[in-house]
Amino acid sequence: MHYQTITYANITLSLSDDLMGLFHVSSASLPLPPGPAGLPLVGSALHFIGPFSRSPHAVLTGLAQTYGPIMSFRPGMAGDFVVVSSPAAAREALAENDAALGARFVPDVAHALAHSSESVFFLPNSSALWRRHRAVVGAHLSSGLSLGRTSHVRDRHARRLAENVRARSGTPVAVGVAVLGAVLDVVSNIAFSEDVAGARVQGGQMFKELIVAVLQDWTKPNVSDAFPFLAPVDLLGSRHRVSRGLMKLYKFFDDEFVERRLLSSCDHERHGDLLDVVLERHAKSELTRSEITKFFTDIFLASSNTSRITVEWAMALLLKHQDKMEKVQDELAENLGCKDFVEEHDLHKLPYLHAVIKETLRLQPPAPLLPRKVVTGDMSLGGFAVPVGTYVLVNLWAIGRDPAVWPDPEVFLPERFLGDQAANFRGLDDFAYKPFGAGRRVCPGLDFATRLVPLLLASLLHRVQWRLPSGMAPEDVDLRDRGSMVLELATPLQAVPVSTHQ
Ligand code: HEM
């Protein structure tokens, strides 16, 4: 049903484009989008930081109900933000103004150790290094060819995850922690042919814990972002902690790099992994040592949290909705029968499992606000001026719950993604559903994630019954989120696996 709505929206938009072409109006003469006035100086920052703050995506969704799908606001003194909260406005921003939105919002923590200056997340589209980094991910991590070559790595670690969970039959498991370990080991084996989740970094901390600690500060709303003049003081200590964490990650990746380079100068052994590829580029002076360590840091930060969060939310939603849990487990039993472990080539037999993941990403997109920055003049959205330097946030969380597009938007209903309604993450017209973003900055790990995430979820569920810890009923599963820039459960999910595998 929502396709029909989008088609009307598209027609309306393209008609209005044609009219705009006939009577071209400079955006300078257009009004700015409406929005809350905010207190002088403090702007709208109090919505996000402080004792009364709520999740940024939820606050902005509420404000959009008053001010409309294209709304402006000023969080403190950070500059002007425009928030986009409908599929039609998202299409106008991400498809028609993709080039104008050629940079990102760079939070204060990303300046730690000058990380943003060489980071695939934060470099603008005009940067040659950004293009080189994306080309490496596109060709060697997420292309059809590289995914085919690495399916055995995903299968091996998915199986290990299933074995670990089955071995703990009858005892509560922290679902997110178990999944994170699997994701990190998959990525590290593809990156440099080793397991890292349980490895120790400088200072004795486990790699897995270090990643969690860095991401915690990385994604938390920060007073330094709302009031940049306070950034040197680093009131919350976020930049300081992120610097310490990044230093350990850089050292860890740099050691890998040095070790392999020293080895390869003796025996020219090739491992067929990502490190071989970047070392080749280093040899041709296309990537520096510092760019390589930052590249690996970004890949681990980008892949681990998003994939782990998606599986954890899916499990929480299934435990809360036992009828859907039954359906997905029936599908696994019917299609995989007595097979011990799920493998990637089984996934095409599991449409309901895929629908569960799509529905999870609609309700709880791990990156709910796409943060872009306008780099060229004369941009407009919906007849409002969006001047150069403005930050544009596309609110995927609001769009995924837009009642004009999604019937019963608050209901967890995987069935909406079955059959004809099976949305495609890349659908050019479907701006009601973009959990991986869109345009030039679309997630380069999309094809990788859409193989890994279903495989991990299926591995948790196949031949394992899940119960809630004693005393908890399905309605007690807490679906509130932590209130950060990344959408994760406020209460990490604990559940008890009961293995049915003999
Ligand atoms: C369920 C899993 C994932 C989700 C939901 C997700 C979502 C996203 C979103 C929404 C963006 C921003 C896109 C935009 O601005 O239009 C993004 C960017 C990015 N993602 Fe993912 N992602 C996932 C997994 C991964 C994986 C597995 C990798 C790496 C292998 C990855 C690497 C990246 C990188 C490097 C960027 C920055 C791209 C740029 O700014 O040019 N992601 N992701």
Side-chain angles (χ1 to χ4, degrees), residues 104 120 130 134 141 303 306 310 370 372 435-438 441 443:
R104 285 214 190 273
V120 61
W130 173 74
R134 283 200 61 116
L141 219 140
S303 57
T306 45
T310 309
L370 301 183
R372 306 284 184 84
F436 291 93
R441 305 289 306 214
C443 173

Side-chain angles (χ1 to χ4, degrees), residues 202-496:
Q202 197 185 29
Q205 194 178 13
M206 254 166 64
F207 186 90
K208 181 156 78 170
E209 287 165 8
L210 175 60
I211 288 280
V212 170
V214 171
L215 283 167
Q216 182 96 8
D217 277 306
W218 196 277
T219 56
K220 204 164 56 187
N222 186 353
V223 70
S224 300
D225 292 323
F227 303 101
F229 72 93
L230 290 175
V233 189
D234 189 22
L235 270 181
L236 302 181
S238 309
R239 182 150 38 89
H240 175 68
R241 286 189 296 275
V242 166
S243 295
R244 277 202 326 227
L246 286 180
M247 218 175 308
K248 291 182 192 171
L249 284 173
Y250 292 175
K251 165 101 179 66
F252 186 84
F253 295 131
D254 197 55
D255 285 351
E256 292 285 340
F257 169 86
V258 171
E259 200 176 297
R260 177 80 59 90
R261 205 169 49 163
L262 289 176
L263 281 179
S264 66
S265 60
C266 312
D267 61 10
H268 298 289
E269 187 193 345
R270 283 189 58 86
H271 300 74
D273 55 22
L274 206 53
L275 184 55
D276 276 351
V277 173
V278 293
L279 282 175
E280 251 168 45
R281 295 195 171 212
H282 177 68
K284 291 190 217 151
S285 304
E286 288 172 11
L287 281 176
T288 66
R289 189 166 161 175
S290 148
E291 287 163 0
I292 291 174
T293 49
K294 287 182 178 148
F295 172 72
F296 280 124
T297 303
D298 281 346
I299 293 301
F300 277 86
L301 292 178
S303 57
S304 54
N305 223 19
T306 45
S307 310
R308 185 268 297 171
I309 286 175
T310 309
V311 179
E312 196 178 359
W313 272 112
M315 284 293 288
L317 286 160
L318 289 171
L319 283 160
K320 193 161 189 103
H321 300 90
Q322 294 286 327
D323 54 329
K324 314 293 180 203
M325 175 69 102
E326 243 170 67
K327 266 182 139 171
V328 77
Q329 290 202 307
D330 286 351
E331 181 182 73
L332 281 160
E334 271 163 33
N335 290 289
L336 303 190
C338 300
K339 189 171 175 184
D340 284 341
F341 298 98
V342 189
E343 292 171 295
E344 205 165 277
H345 64 78
D346 298 316
L347 290 176
H348 72 279
K349 301 177 208 155
L350 306 171
Y352 194 75
L353 180 106
H354 286 287
V356 165
I357 288 163
K358 286 182 172 172
E359 179 69 339
T360 304
L361 287 168
R362 175 186 74 82
L363 280 168
Q364 312 294 8
L369 298 168
L370 301 183
R372 306 284 184 84
K373 183 179 180 184
V374 182
V375 293
T376 54
D378 223 25
M379 177 173 156
S380 66
L381 285 178
F384 296 111
V386 186
V388 65
T390 305
Y391 297 108
V392 172
L393 299 177
V394 179
N395 190 345
L396 300 182
W397 194 80
I399 293 172
R401 288 160 191 258
D402 184 342
V405 180
W406 302 101
D408 298 323
E410 300 296 330
V411 179
F412 176 62
L413 196 64
E415 289 73 8
R416 68 175 97 232
F417 285 109
L418 289 174
D420 290 349
Q421 304 295 318
N424 171 352
F425 293 113
R426 292 191 194 279
L428 280 180
D429 290 330
D430 196 349
F431 280 81
Y433 191 64
K434 284 280 170 256
F436 291 93
R440 289 173 180 76
R441 305 289 306 214
V442 67
C443 173
L446 191 161
D447 293 313
F448 184 84
T450 47
R451 293 204 187 197
L452 179 63
V453 168
L455 180 65
L456 296 181
L457 180 64
S459 301
L460 287 177
L461 294 173
H462 182 50
R463 308 196 71 178
V464 178
Q465 297 291 321
W466 286 84
R467 313 256 178 273
L468 288 164
S470 68
M472 243 181 109
E475 51 277 19
D476 300 330
V477 176
D478 184 357
L479 294 182
R480 282 172 305 169
D481 68 83
R482 189 164 69 85
S484 70
M485 301 306 288
V486 165
L487 224 170
E488 61 183 314
L489 284 160
T491 313
L493 182 68
Q494 291 269 341
V496 183

